[in-house]
Amino acid sequence: MAAQPVSQLLRRFVRSCARGCSSVAPVTQPRPGEPSRPSTEELSTRLQFLREHAAPFSAFLTDSFGRQHSYLRISLTEKCNLRCQYCMPEEGVPLTPKADLLTTEEILTLTRLFVKEGVNKIRLTGGEPLIRPDVVNIVAQLHQLEGLRTIGVTTNGINLARLLPQLQKAGLNAINISLDTLVPAKFEFIVRRKGFHKVMEGIHKAIELGYNPVKVNCVVMRGLNEDELLDFVALTQGLPLDVRFIEYMPFDGNKWNFKKMVSYKEMLDAIQQQWPELEKVPEEESSTAKVFKIPGFQGQVSFITSMSEHFCGTCNRLRITADGNLKVCLFGNSEVSLRDHLRAGASEEKLLSIIGDAVGRKKREHAGLILVLQDSLPANPSISSWNLHCVLGLGSRVSFSTQMATLWRIPQTSLAQQWLGSGSPQRHYCSHIDTDPKCLRSGSRVPAAPSQPCSTSDQLTHVDSEGQAAMVDVGQKPDTDRVAVASAVVFLGPVAFKLVQQNQLKKGDALVVAQLAGIQAAKLTSQLIPLCHHVALNHIQVQLELDSTRHAVVIRTSCLARGPTGVEMEALTSAAVAALTLYDMCKAISRDIVVGEIKLISKTGGQRGDFHRA
């Protein structure tokens, strides 16, 4: 019987400590009439008291493996104002009817129950939680719950700068901001929306208001952003950020591919080559992150190793979806509807029993999925990274490094653009994607091969003896260096051409988007052309040049690989898709656009000899 007063006292102590000295919340002065904040010695005494007199943790939130679930994530909405490529299709996803979503009062009823049982940390998620109209009120209501030490939010940052002052006043004391690239054009490509500068503004607002650290979540995907690891790490030198690199994980609909995943050890090795003094920082037992810090840097770097080194053994997290389902594991399909029981009038005891049963069924790891990954994952040579050192733009534009220095308010780093002559009327884009570090140099080019006569076959190679379509068996062919160059021309007309030249299209930078499309298309050729072999590309180059005499964009692509089959289809597909992307970017301006002159320029390597178009 005496446990209840002690429990209440403990919660008051926890609340007093948490509200006053959270490492992720800005320090504020006490209001008039309030007692002053406890000293460090007093806090130490209180924490010692908590350890010695802590009440037993709730049996309802303890699973069969002894894991105590003190962390609750709540989805406030299924909606999102972005359309991230790895998250959802461009048209969005079917949404649950509003009547089936949790109301604000239902959210608060459930959270009161969980906090009463020992949950001391709540994170608000989505969709995008900051598009919910009453998010500030929800935070304020949660702030009133005794025993709740941390109220956090995971956001894409689009609305953060506008709402954060209100959220901080309401009681928000932890922020995670999702940001997968530092390149504005690539940001727009990934999320299919504008807003890069709004996210930057939100991060700076969080720093300005005293949040320390501000956590930045970056999902690392091979072929998309793994080349930016060092640039993200460099941000922690002058800013109080915790940059958290997250291994690419499989979710419904994101077409997860093992080859896209960059492992923790691969990322760590790349960073240590640049900063060998990188040192490990101790973390809490239930932490999902492996934390590192470079001596002298303000911020730190973390790794969320969900795939290569899962942290299931210390998992203390539960999740409630926007429609009221309880998930005990992010990877699990098993859910129980707390909403239905709540609306049916279930008592608190009944709800606790349902929650306890679900927690008790939680599996040891990843919903029973055992992931066996090698200690060192080889990089997939067919999918590599942007080389920003080879991106060329108009002299009238501000350089990328200057933009980033302004956005982040730090000295310029190695991210730099090379400029054409200041008076050049042309815009040129050249993208190199290569696994050979030598190809990161701006002067590198695909090696030229000597011209030889091209022998052709007098039979269709993709037709078998019965006249049926068939893939050619290349198993016995030797590996040789293969290079192919292809081109295409998009005739835009004077109006669309001028808008592209001046980068005034409402959809964004047509040249950058087309360049990205060409890169992606080269890597996906075997999925688009039915009888085409998959080729591990070592190098992709996509160049776009404006031809003012014809009001056209000339596209030239080259692909290089070492293998038993050629790469002309990869080069042609790259040129064609880049051209179609330009058409799509400009079709609202004119329907008279013509895509033409798609052709193979040259190919080298292979038994049939080389080919060079006259």
Side-chain angles (χ1 to χ4, degrees):
M1 297 294 292
Q4 182 63 24
V6 172
S7 175
Q8 292 177 351
L9 179 61
L10 292 176
R11 285 176 179 170
R12 284 197 293 272
F13 276 140
V14 170
R15 182 176 176 81
S16 172
C17 295
R19 299 300 183 198
C21 62
S22 171
S23 63
V24 292
V27 177
T28 56
Q29 297 297 321
R31 297 174 183 174
E34 288 186 346
S36 61
R37 298 194 182 279
S39 67
T40 302
E41 183 178 350
E42 290 172 329
L43 289 175
S44 177
T45 302
R46 289 182 178 184
L47 291 175
Q48 181 64 29
F49 179 88
L50 289 175
R51 285 192 289 267
E52 294 176 356
H53 298 85
F57 193 82
S58 170
F60 296 106
L61 301 184
T62 305
D63 67 15
S64 58
F65 302 100
R67 294 173 293 200
Q68 299 177 345
H69 296 79
S70 59
Y71 181 4
L72 179 65
R73 299 172 66 95
I74 304 173
S75 173
L76 296 185
T77 179
E78 296 176 336
K79 296 179 180 179
C80 186
N81 46 2
L82 299 181
R83 291 291 182 271
C84 297
Q85 302 251 7
Y86 58 83
C87 183
M88 67 169 70
E90 186 172 7
E91 65 275 11
V93 294
L95 296 175
T96 302
K98 185 177 181 180
D100 294 337
L101 300 176
L102 289 178
T103 65
T104 300
E105 186 53 43
E106 287 169 338
I107 290 173
L108 295 174
T109 297
L110 290 174
T111 54
R112 290 188 195 104
L113 182 59
F114 277 93
V115 172
K116 183 178 179 181
E117 290 301 310
V119 164
N120 57 35
K121 179 177 181 179
I122 287 178
R123 178 166 297 280
L124 304 177
T125 67
E128 169 48 43
L130 298 192
I131 66 174
R132 180 160 177 142
D134 60 347
V135 62
V136 175
N137 176 56
I138 291 175
V139 171
Q141 294 289 332
L142 294 177
H143 188 60
Q144 303 303 314
L145 300 180
E146 285 196 20
L148 186 58
R149 284 188 274 184
T150 303
I151 305 173
V153 65
T154 296
T155 173
N156 60 32
I158 298 295
N159 295 334
L160 185 60
R162 176 173 58 87
L163 291 175
L164 190 53
Q166 303 171 60
L167 289 167
Q168 184 187 62
K169 185 176 180 180
L172 187 76
N173 55 11
I175 301 173
N176 286 35
I177 303 167
S178 298
L179 181 64
D180 299 322
T181 179
L182 300 176
V183 183
K186 198 191 296 188
F187 176 90
E188 188 174 330
F189 173 75
I190 293 174
V191 307
R192 302 190 182 101
R193 297 290 188 273
K194 296 181 183 295
F196 178 80
H197 294 277
K198 289 185 177 180
V199 180
M200 298 300 105
E201 184 183 358
I203 292 174
H204 283 300
K205 177 61 70 172
I207 294 172
E208 176 188 323
L209 293 177
Y211 288 89
N212 187 2
V214 176
K215 294 183 178 180
V216 176
N217 293 345
C218 176
V219 178
V220 181
M221 294 162 283
R222 196 182 308 283
L224 192 59
N225 64 350
E226 89 275 25
D227 59 314
E228 297 186 59
L229 285 171
L230 301 184
D231 298 307
F232 270 102
V233 175
L235 295 175
T236 68
Q237 180 174 6
L239 297 172
L241 301 177
D242 180 4
V243 175
R244 293 149 50 95
F245 296 119
I246 303 173
E247 289 180 338
Y248 184 46
M249 295 179 291
F251 293 101
D252 291 341
N254 77 343
K255 299 179 181 178
W256 185 83
N257 187 324
F258 175 82
K259 295 178 181 179
K260 293 182 181 179
M261 195 197 85
V262 183
S263 74
Y264 148 63
K265 290 188 176 179
E266 186 179 341
M267 291 187 275
L268 182 62
D269 180 65
I271 295 171
Q272 284 179 324
Q273 288 185 38
Q274 177 70 23
W275 290 284
E277 67 273 27
L278 185 73
E279 57 187 25
K280 187 81 162 56
V281 177
E283 64 262 2
E284 297 179 2
E285 181 183 0
S286 61
S287 174
T288 62
K290 293 177 172 61
V291 184
F292 292 81
K293 188 175 180 65
I294 300 171
F297 281 32
Q298 282 195 44
Q300 63 189 29
V301 178
S302 304
F303 300 89
I304 312 296
T305 61
S306 309
M307 300 300 293
S308 63
E309 297 182 18
H310 65 72
F311 33 82
C312 300
T314 58
C315 179
N316 67 340
R317 292 152 181 78
L318 300 173
R319 293 166 178 82
I320 296 178
T321 63
D323 57 353
N325 286 344
L326 175 66
K327 289 176 68 75
V328 297
C329 176
L330 179 63
F331 286 84
N333 295 320
S334 177
E335 299 180 1
V336 58
S337 177
L338 299 181
R339 177 204 64 202
D340 291 348
H341 290 285
L342 195 61
R343 293 181 180 180
S347 65
E348 184 174 298
E349 291 74 15
K350 176 64 174 176
L351 287 172
L352 284 175
S353 176
I354 294 166
I355 293 168
D357 289 343
V359 172
R361 292 191 296 269
K362 185 170 181 175
K363 298 179 181 179
R364 181 183 293 274
E365 53 192 13
H366 278 183
L369 173 64
I370 307 299
L371 299 172
V372 181
L373 299 180
Q374 298 177 353
D375 288 341
S376 178
L377 297 175
N380 178 7
S382 68
I383 307 178
S384 187
S385 58
W386 278 39
N387 173 18
L388 293 176
H389 297 273
C390 295
V391 178
L392 308 181
L394 269 179
S396 59
R397 288 189 174 188
V398 180
S399 71
F400 172 72
S401 57
T402 302
Q403 292 179 30
M404 292 310 301
T406 302
L407 289 168
W408 291 103
R409 302 169 193 158
I410 57 176
Q412 295 185 19
T413 63
S414 61
L415 280 174
Q417 281 186 314
Q418 299 177 355
W419 300 102
L420 296 174
S422 59
S424 172
Q426 300 280 353
R427 292 175 65 219
H428 300 257
Y429 275 74
C430 171
S431 166
H432 291 267
I433 290 201
D434 207 311
T435 55
D436 182 352
K438 291 183 293 184
C439 291
L440 294 179
R441 299 179 186 145
S442 59
S444 65
R445 291 291 183 268
V446 179
S451 177
Q452 297 178 4
C454 178
S455 61
T456 57
S457 172
D458 57 359
Q459 295 181 344
L460 294 175
T461 57
H462 286 77
V463 177
D464 63 19
S465 58
E466 298 180 357
Q468 300 297 315
M471 180 177 284
V472 175
D473 183 0
V474 297
Q476 303 303 316
K477 298 176 67 175
D479 287 351
T480 59
D481 289 327
R482 313 288 188 125
V483 180
V485 179
S487 67
V489 180
V490 183
F491 299 92
L492 296 172
V495 177
F497 178 85
K498 183 176 181 180
L499 292 174
V500 171
Q501 185 181 45
Q502 298 177 352
N503 191 21
Q504 295 297 315
L505 289 175
K506 291 183 178 180
K507 282 190 174 183
D509 194 324
L511 298 185
V512 169
V513 176
Q515 181 188 68
L516 283 168
I519 293 168
Q520 291 295 94
K523 295 185 291 187
L524 297 174
T525 299
S526 63
Q527 299 179 38
L528 301 172
I529 311 297
L531 301 181
C532 193
H533 292 84
H534 174 70
V535 176
L537 294 170
N538 296 99
H539 177 98
I540 307 169
Q541 178 181 338
V542 179
Q543 295 175 293
L544 298 98
E545 183 175 345
L546 295 180
D547 181 349
S548 58
T549 60
R550 297 189 291 173
H551 298 124
V553 177
V554 179
I555 302 167
R556 187 180 179 92
T557 65
S558 64
C559 296
L560 180 150
R562 182 170 181 81
T565 187
V567 290
E568 54 261 53
M569 289 308 303
E570 282 69 20
L572 284 164
T573 302
S574 176
V577 171
L580 290 173
T581 302
L582 270 176
Y583 182 98
D584 179 62
M585 294 289 288
C586 302
K587 66 179 186 292
I589 308 301
S590 172
R591 298 290 181 176
D592 293 330
I593 301 170
V594 175
V595 176
E597 300 184 20
I598 300 175
K599 58 190 176 185
L600 181 68
I601 302 298
S602 65
K603 67 173 289 291
T604 60
Q607 297 177 348
R608 295 170 54 199
D610 298 344
F611 165 78
H612 295 274
R613 186 175 298 276

